[in-house]
Amino acid sequence: MERPGLTLLPTAIGTCAVAWRGDVIVGVALPEADDDATLRHLRRTAPGAEPAPPPPVVQAALDGIVALLAGEAVDLAGVAVEVHHESAFARRVHEVVRSIPPGETLTYGQVAEAVGEPGGAQAVGRAMGANPVPIVVPCHRVVGAGGRPVGFSAPGGVATKQRILRIEGAAAGGQPSLFEPAPGEPTSVVGRR
């Protein structure tokens, strides 16, 4: 089996890392404290991954990730991913989640119902927590009952989830903070200590 390639990917939320094998995405790591930590996280998902130039299909997916995280309504549902699901249930959950368009959300309960498991919201949460390709399988678009932004295991937790949802135009849990810049707006450190 060929060794996965990887690259660091500067985005509006920080530097992500992406791994692929052939034309298929096998891992995405959201920004950690620094690039080394992000790469360590990615290599847990894609052992043996080494820096390499991405093939054109993967480059198109990388461009799509960058555009989505910059606020463009990019649909990544067609990006090929390799996910080793723990169960048929987890596979069905990922399929439903991949169908959620940018700017929209479903609750954990709605996803459970969509896969034929009413009452399976916690199991949906576990499947999302094991997602090795966040953003491409947009687990951030799955929210708690009433739109509450809960259950995000990526660095920054729920704050990261809210930030990505605001970038996409789906501010789960209410309006963005008055102190959070809008997508594309410059940040300022005036008055911060």
Side-chain angles (χ1 to χ4, degrees):
M1 181 179 281
E2 80 179 270
R3 177 174 280 199
L6 74 79
T7 192
L8 288 170
L9 185 65
T11 74
I13 65 167
T15 301
C16 297
V18 180
W20 64 88
R21 185 176 293 111
D23 288 342
V24 178
I25 304 294
V26 298
V28 175
L30 296 178
E32 299 262 353
D34 59 43
D35 291 353
D36 289 337
T38 305
L39 288 170
R40 279 192 303 277
H41 180 95
L42 181 71
R43 286 188 171 116
R44 286 192 295 272
T45 302
E50 292 295 332
V57 170
V58 171
Q59 185 61 56
L62 299 176
D63 294 344
I65 292 169
V66 169
L68 178 73
L69 293 174
E72 295 180 34
V74 175
D75 186 356
L76 300 174
V79 173
V81 296
E82 177 183 306
V83 177
H84 300 287
H85 299 288
E86 296 176 2
S87 65
F89 173 81
R91 181 187 44 74
R92 292 192 318 269
V93 165
H94 281 203
E95 288 170 359
V96 167
V97 170
R98 286 200 82 187
S99 73
I100 305 170
E104 296 184 23
T105 61
L106 290 177
T107 66
Y108 291 94
Q110 288 171 318
V111 173
E113 286 180 25
V115 299
E117 298 288 339
Q122 289 182 339
V124 169
R126 285 189 296 276
M128 292 295 82
N131 178 13
V133 286
I135 306 300
V136 181
V137 173
C139 51
H140 61 279
R141 296 181 190 149
V142 183
V143 297
R148 290 174 309 139
V150 297
F152 200 57
S153 59
V158 172
T160 299
K161 183 176 199 164
Q162 287 179 300
R163 184 171 181 207
I164 296 169
L165 287 172
R166 279 192 298 270
I167 288 169
E168 291 186 353
Q175 296 300 313
S177 161
L178 291 173
F179 303 104
E180 173 112 8
E185 181 178 303
T187 59
S188 172
V189 294
V190 173
R192 290 189 183 168
R193 295 178 185 230

